[in-house]
């Protein structure tokens, strides 16, 4: 069953709009637009074709009445427009061309024209951005260049009020002289057409962005990290094998430097040795990968829909029940929350059983938070900085398809992301919206000890506290649903209850992003981890297995395939919406728990074999970095288009758009993970170990977040000294003596010392279990 669930995700996409730059605004526009009115207008029912502000119509009107040009005086814009009008007149009068004629034709050819598909949502008539920007003509006293501009206008003669401009508009792209500003263009159009039906005019590259202090700091940090990574890679690949017996290898500086080795970190990503040994939760790799694919699928489909010339056809897929998988991508996020709770309790209880006193010590709880923040933040902070001061101002400047599509709040609100509070502070203007997950997950992690600590006083006490918190969360969920008449889940294109008077953003902050709501499935994961640490062996009778799998099937069907009527326009009764909202997420966690428990205790059969396949391990390790970078990849690839997409069918969208984005996102994540996630994770382990006086060899790759799978050991060559027990013993002795400890001896595979010493603990001469590296 599990294999069917996860494989089905590969062939589907999801219309989950959470986290997109133009989320609710674009949805509202599509829902509120009267496309029949637009179709009538564009076909001459409201006004003639000559009323549409195409470049050709504008030039013709300037030929008839050049007064708007005269108002510009002797400005460069006025002279350039005069040359265009004169050349156009020459063509009309004598059909003769001048040297400037070809340039005028390029202007007309690069500008947008009314097209088909208005009833399907085609209201933006694109031109050819790159062709326009390449236009250049040398006059005797100046250089004439083209500038790509977008004109948004009403389908009637006006006036252009903010209310009308927010609902029913056309957008057409014009290629105009670069000397003319957007304000001048708007004035010329309104004067020429004797109307005030222009909502806005924007020109690309009119005011190019300039590097700021944030830009230079971000570039410097990335350059330094890449320099360390490249130089350390050269050392690891060419020199380390000849110097590994030297004592300087174990110096603090060397270990810090080698933490950044891109070569070693990439090797570790694809190292699957020992990843599925007994005691590890094998299916998590598979779940993590397919959940990440589901997230990217959902965001990619939403981008495609909003950038297509026929978005109505994209949403029409929802008429079929099977396509409800497309609208249920939010369960991928629930899967990550569930895994966070599962791994947190699974690892914490393992360490607690090994040393209860140490696990409950104040220092342990301090490191509980410090460890998490240090591991999670570097790749995330650098990503936010890169997006805010490098990618957004410079990487998106020439993306015509995104012009005016969304407002970037990162320059003002980046610091809120750094505090992991963007789901609570200025939530209407979030920076890099997909980072809301990290904030919600971090906040639940901060309060997780409220459930972990009671378990130290007894499992019954711990379970009781967990169930009380779960009940409180469920109660708040029910209250908010009944009070605000919220939708059953996050799908903004569906029909909302007319009694919901608050903005959709209120639902986002109080339900979708809220840790007090999301903690339901987090607690389910935590209880599952406690269960798996409590029972090392478990016998599940065959009839109970049958009941469990049938129940899992029922839960999956109920969660995914029961909102068809609501998605297609029916207003759900508030009672059913409340039940679905309060029950679907924890039930989804129960289904996931059943899959993992059966596989963990040896009852998964071929399902466990498939989900524990080593091929999922490196893909799972890249999950965190892929989540961070996939929106940048999505924006960049989409922004390379000069025209709107045309949706034909799901297969076309999947093969030509979605799959390439998934592949590129994972390829980019290899660089991001090796340079920032793994590198800073290793660096943290080296520095913390040094501060605590626990010397050791270069650490294996640590687990950066709860999104990340179990860490494999540092890959070694067959001749590596650490693979040889006798040489490993020698290295351990040297490390201990370097810290002032003598009188060491080997007994039963352990390195022992006489008496107690504050700086050295017993060192096992064998590979450390991967789970012991988790935090």
């Amino acid at each position: 069953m599990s294999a069917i669930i996860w494989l089905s995700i590969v062939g589907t996409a999801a219309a989950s709009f959470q986290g997109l730059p133009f989320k609710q605004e674009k949805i509202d526009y599509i829902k509120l637009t009267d496309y029949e009115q637009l179709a009538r207008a564009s076909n001459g029912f409201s006004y003639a074709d000559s009323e549409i502000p195409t470049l050709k119509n504008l030039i013709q009107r300037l030929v008839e009445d050049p007064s708007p040009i005269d108002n510009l005086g002797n400005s460069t814009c006025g002279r350039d427009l005069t040359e265009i009008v004169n050349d156009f007149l020459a063509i009309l009068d004598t059909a003769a061309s001048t040297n400037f004629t070809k340039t005028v034709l390029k202007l007309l050819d690069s500008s947008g024209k009314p097209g088909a598909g208005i009833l399907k949502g085609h209201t933006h008539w694109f031109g050819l951005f790159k062709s326009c920007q390449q236009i250049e003509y040398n006059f005797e006293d100046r250089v004439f260049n083209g500038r790509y501009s977008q004109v948004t206008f009403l389908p009637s003669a006006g006036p252009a009020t903010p209310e009308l401009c927010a609902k029913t508009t056309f957008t057409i792209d014009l290629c105009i002289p670069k000397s003319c500003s957007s304000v001048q263009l708007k004035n010329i159009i309104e004067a020429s057409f004797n109307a005030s039906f222009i909502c806005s005019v924007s020109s690309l590259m009119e005011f190019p962005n300039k590097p700021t202090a944030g830009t230079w700091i971000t570039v410097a940090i990335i350059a330094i990290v890449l320099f360390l990574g490249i130089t350390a890679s050269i050392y690891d690949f060419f020199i380390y094998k000849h110097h590994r017996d030297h004592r300087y290898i174990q110096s603090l500086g060397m270990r810090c430097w080698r933490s950044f080795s891109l070569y070693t970190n990439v090797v570790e990503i694809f190292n699957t040795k020992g990843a599925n040994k007994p005691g590890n939760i094998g299916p998590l790799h598979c779940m993590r990968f397919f959940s990440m694919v589901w997230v990217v699928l959902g965001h990619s489909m939403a981008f495609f829909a909003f950038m297509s010339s026929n978005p109505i056809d994209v949403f029409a897929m929802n008429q079929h029940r099977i396509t409800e998988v497309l609208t249920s991508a939010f369960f991928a996020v629930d899967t990550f929350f569930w895994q966070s709770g599962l791994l947190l309790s699974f690892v914490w209880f393992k360490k607690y059983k090994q040393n209860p006193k140490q696990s409950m010590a104040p220092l342990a709880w301090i490191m509980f938070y410090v460890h998490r923040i240090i591991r999670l933040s570097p790749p995330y902070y650098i990503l936010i900085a890169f997006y805010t001061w490098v990618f957004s101002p410079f990487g998106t400047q020439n993306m015509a398809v995104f012009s005016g599509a969304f407002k970037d709040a990162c320059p003002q609100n980046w610091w809120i992301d750094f505090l992991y509070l963007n789901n609570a502070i200025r939530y209407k203007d979030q920076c890099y919206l997909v980072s809301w997950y990290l904030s919600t997950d971090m906040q639940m992690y901060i309060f997780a000890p409220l459930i972990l600590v009671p378990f130290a006083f007894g499992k019954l006490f711990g379970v009781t506290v967990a169930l009380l918190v779960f009940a409180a969360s469920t109660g708040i969920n029910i209250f908010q649903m009944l009070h605000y008449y919220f939708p059953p889940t996050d799908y903004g294109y569906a029909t909302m209850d007319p009694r919901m008077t608050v903005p959709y953003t209120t639902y986002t902050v109080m339900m979708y992003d809220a840790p007090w709501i999301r903690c339901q499935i987090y607690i389910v994961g935590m209880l599952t981890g406690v269960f798996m640490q409590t029972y090392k062996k478990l016998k599940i009778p065959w009839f109970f297995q049958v009941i469990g799998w049938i129940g899992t099937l029922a839960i999956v069907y109920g969660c995914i395939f029961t909102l068809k009527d609501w998605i297609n326009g029916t207003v759900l009764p508030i009672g059913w919406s409340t039940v679905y909202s309060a029950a679907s997420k924890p039930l989804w966690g129960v289904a996931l728990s059943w899959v993992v428990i059966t596989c963990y205790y040896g009852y998964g059969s071929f399902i466990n074999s498939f989900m524990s396949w080593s091929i999922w391990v490196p893909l799972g390790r890249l999950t965190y970095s892929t989540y961070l970078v996939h929106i940048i990849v999505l924006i960049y690839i989409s922004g390379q288009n000069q025209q709107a997409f045309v949706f034909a069918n799901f297969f076309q969208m999947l093969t030509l758009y979605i799959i390439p984005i998934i592949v590129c996102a994972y390829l980019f994540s290899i660089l991001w993970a090796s340079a920032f996630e793994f590198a800073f994770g290793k660096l943290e382990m080296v520095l913390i170990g040094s501060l605590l006086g626990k010397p050791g060899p270069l650490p294996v790759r640590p687990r950066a977040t709860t999104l990340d799978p179990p860490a494999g050991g540092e890959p070694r060559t067959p001749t590596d000294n650490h693979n040889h027990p006798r040489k490993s013993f020698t290295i351990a002795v040297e490390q201990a003596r370097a810290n002032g400890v003598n009188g060491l001896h080997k007994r039963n595979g352990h390195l022992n010392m006489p008496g107690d010493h504050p700086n050295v603990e017993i060192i096992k001469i064998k590979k450390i279990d991967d789970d012991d590296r988790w935090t």
Side-chain angles (χ1 to χ4, degrees), residues 38 93-94 114 146 234 383 427 433 463 471 506 508 529-530 567 647 650 654 700 746 748 756 761:
L38 291 180
D93 293 340
T94 64
I234 295 173
L383 186 282
Y427 60 88
L433 294 184
V463 170
T506 303
T508 300
V530 173
I567 289 171
F647 175 78
F650 176 74
L654 179 69
V700 299
K746 181 180 178 184
N748 297 328
D756 296 326
E761 298 179 346

Side-chain angles (χ1 to χ4, degrees), residues 301 304-305 308 310-318 326 647 653:
M301 179 180 171
F304 190 95
S308 66
N310 53 336
I312 305 300
D313 286 340
V314 181
F315 295 115
M317 291 190 299
N318 298 331
L326 310 180
F647 175 78
M653 179 174 61

Side-chain angles (χ1 to χ4, degrees), residues 287-297 332 336 622-624 626-627 630 666:
M287 287 183 173
R288 192 173 287 111
F289 167 67
F290 282 115
S291 295
M292 190 66 251
V293 168
W294 206 358
V295 169
V296 181
L297 281 170
F336 286 131
L622 293 169
T623 299
Y624 179 49
T626 303
Y627 185 83
H630 81 277
Y666 266 92

Side-chain angles (χ1 to χ4, degrees), residues 662-737:
I662 293 174
V663 173
C664 290
Y666 266 92
L667 290 176
F668 187 29
S669 71
I670 295 175
L671 172 62
W672 205 264
S674 59
F676 304 108
E677 181 187 350
F678 292 7
F680 282 96
K682 283 183 175 181
L683 180 65
E684 184 260 354
M685 180 176 287
V686 170
L687 294 178
I688 294 297
S690 177
L691 290 174
L692 296 178
K694 297 180 180 180
L698 183 67
V700 299
R701 181 185 64 82
R703 179 172 160 272
T705 72
T706 51
L707 290 177
D708 198 35
E714 183 187 10
R716 306 188 187 281
T717 62
T719 59
D720 197 326
N721 287 340
H722 294 278
N723 287 334
H724 195 287
R726 186 172 300 172
K727 292 182 178 180
S728 297
F729 173 73
T730 302
I731 293 174
V733 171
E734 291 177 355
Q735 294 168 359
R737 288 175 177 171

Side-chain angles (χ1 to χ4, degrees), residues 22 296 362 370 586 715:
F22 36 59
V296 181
V370 172

Side-chain angles (χ1 to χ4, degrees), residues 224-270:
I224 291 172
V225 171
L226 292 179
F227 174 78
L228 294 174
I230 293 172
T231 54
S233 297
I234 295 173
Y235 177 86
D236 280 356
F237 190 81
F238 294 103
I239 303 175
Y240 172 71
K241 58 185 177 182
H242 304 295
H243 289 233
R244 57 190 170 209
D245 293 332
H246 295 200
R247 181 172 295 182
Y248 80 91
I249 292 292
Q250 297 301 326
S251 65
L252 178 61
M254 281 296 297
R255 287 186 291 150
C256 290
W257 177 48
R258 291 187 60 212
S259 297
F260 290 91
S261 173
L262 296 176
Y263 164 73
T264 302
N265 292 340
V266 170
V267 169
E268 289 179 8
I269 290 175
F270 295 96

